[in-house]
Amino acid sequence: MRILFLGNNWVGWQILQWLKKQDEEIVGLVIHPPQKQKYAEEMLQIVTLPSDRIFDGSQLRQPHIVEAVRKLSPDIGLSILFGYILKPEF
Protein backbone atom coordinates (compact mmCIF):
# COMPACT_ATOMS: atom_id res chain seq x y z
CA MET A 1 0.00 0.00 0.00
CA ARG A 2 1.28 3.48 -0.89
CA ILE A 3 1.01 5.67 2.22
CA LEU A 4 1.26 9.42 2.65
CA PHE A 5 2.23 9.79 6.31
CA LEU A 6 1.26 12.97 8.16
CA GLY A 7 2.67 12.90 11.65
CA ASN A 8 4.23 14.49 14.67
CA ASN A 9 5.26 13.58 18.19
CA TRP A 10 6.56 10.37 19.72
CA VAL A 11 3.48 8.35 18.78
CA GLY A 12 3.78 9.40 15.14
CA TRP A 13 7.43 8.34 15.12
CA GLN A 14 6.62 4.95 16.65
CA ILE A 15 3.82 4.24 14.18
CA LEU A 16 6.05 5.22 11.27
CA GLN A 17 8.72 2.81 12.56
CA TRP A 18 6.13 0.05 12.78
CA LEU A 19 4.89 0.71 9.23
CA LYS A 20 8.43 0.47 7.89
CA LYS A 21 8.95 -2.85 9.71
CA GLN A 22 5.82 -4.11 7.96
CA ASP A 23 7.45 -3.16 4.62
CA GLU A 24 4.74 -0.62 3.87
CA GLU A 25 5.65 1.86 1.15
CA ILE A 26 5.81 5.40 2.49
CA VAL A 27 5.60 7.61 -0.60
CA GLY A 28 5.54 10.96 1.18
CA LEU A 29 6.04 12.48 4.60
CA VAL A 30 4.30 15.56 5.96
CA ILE A 31 5.76 17.02 9.14
CA HIS A 32 5.23 20.18 11.14
CA PRO A 33 7.31 23.31 10.51
CA PRO A 34 10.50 23.52 12.62
CA GLN A 35 8.97 25.49 15.50
CA LYS A 36 6.25 22.83 16.03
CA GLN A 37 8.17 19.64 15.18
CA LYS A 38 8.58 16.80 17.61
CA TYR A 39 10.56 13.71 16.52
CA ALA A 40 10.77 14.99 12.94
CA GLU A 41 14.47 14.13 12.63
CA GLU A 42 13.77 10.57 13.73
CA MET A 43 10.95 10.27 11.19
CA LEU A 44 13.16 11.64 8.43
CA GLN A 45 15.81 9.03 9.22
CA ILE A 46 13.28 6.21 8.98
CA VAL A 47 11.86 7.06 5.57
CA THR A 48 14.97 8.39 3.78
CA LEU A 49 12.84 10.10 1.13
CA PRO A 50 14.09 12.72 -1.33
CA SER A 51 13.29 16.29 -0.32
CA ASP A 52 10.57 16.64 -2.98
CA ARG A 53 8.53 14.01 -1.09
CA ILE A 54 8.76 15.75 2.29
CA PHE A 55 6.25 18.48 2.98
CA ASP A 56 5.72 21.18 5.58
CA GLY A 57 2.28 20.70 7.11
CA SER A 58 1.68 24.45 7.30
CA GLN A 59 1.93 24.64 3.48
CA LEU A 60 -0.70 22.02 2.57
CA ARG A 61 -3.20 24.59 1.32
CA GLN A 62 -0.92 25.75 -1.45
CA PRO A 63 -2.00 24.41 -4.87
CA HIS A 64 1.49 23.34 -5.93
CA ILE A 65 1.82 21.24 -2.75
CA VAL A 66 -1.58 19.61 -3.30
CA GLU A 67 -0.51 18.77 -6.86
CA ALA A 68 2.86 17.37 -5.71
CA VAL A 69 1.07 15.08 -3.24
CA ARG A 70 -1.38 13.95 -5.93
CA LYS A 71 1.51 12.99 -8.19
CA LEU A 72 2.77 10.61 -5.50
CA SER A 73 -0.45 8.60 -6.01
CA PRO A 74 -0.89 7.50 -2.40
CA ASP A 75 -3.54 4.88 -1.70
CA ILE A 76 -4.16 6.34 1.73
CA GLY A 77 -3.16 9.25 3.92
CA LEU A 78 -2.42 8.37 7.53
CA SER A 79 -2.58 11.25 10.02
CA ILE A 80 -1.05 10.67 13.46
CA LEU A 81 -1.13 13.58 15.92
CA PHE A 82 -1.03 15.91 12.95
CA GLY A 83 -2.11 19.38 14.05
CA TYR A 84 -3.55 20.73 10.80
CA ILE A 85 -7.05 20.59 9.34
CA LEU A 86 -7.01 19.32 5.77
CA LYS A 87 -9.18 20.91 3.12
CA PRO A 88 -11.41 18.65 0.98
CA GLU A 89 -9.27 19.07 -2.15
CA PHE A 90 -6.30 17.70 -0.25
Side-chain angles (χ1 to χ4, degrees):
M1 180 177 300
R2 296 174 57 82
I3 299 171
L4 174 69
F5 190 85
L6 304 93
N8 196 40
N9 223 319
W10 184 85
V11 175
W13 172 43
Q14 294 301 304
I15 291 173
L16 186 59
Q17 273 187 313
W18 183 84
L19 289 169
K20 287 300 285 187
K21 288 178 184 175
Q22 307 308 308
D23 289 325
E24 294 292 347
E25 182 181 6
I26 308 299
V27 297
L29 177 65
V30 184
I31 54 178
H32 286 217
Q35 67 274 21
K36 293 185 175 187
Q37 291 178 353
K38 294 183 181 169
Y39 294 90
E41 288 300 318
E42 292 84 351
M43 287 190 256
L44 290 166
Q45 289 175 1
I46 292 169
V47 295
T48 61
L49 291 170
S51 61
D52 65 336
R53 291 177 172 228
I54 299 168
F55 305 96
D56 177 336
S58 67
Q59 305 295 311
L60 292 181
R61 293 180 180 225
Q62 295 188 18
H64 71 281
I65 300 293
V66 173
E67 185 58 31
V69 169
R70 271 196 191 116
K71 287 181 180 179
L72 297 176
S73 300
D75 296 316
I76 190 169
L78 182 59
S79 174
I80 307 297
L81 296 174
F82 190 66
Y84 292 92
I85 297 173
L86 304 174
K87 292 182 87 175
E89 62 268 11
F90 185 80

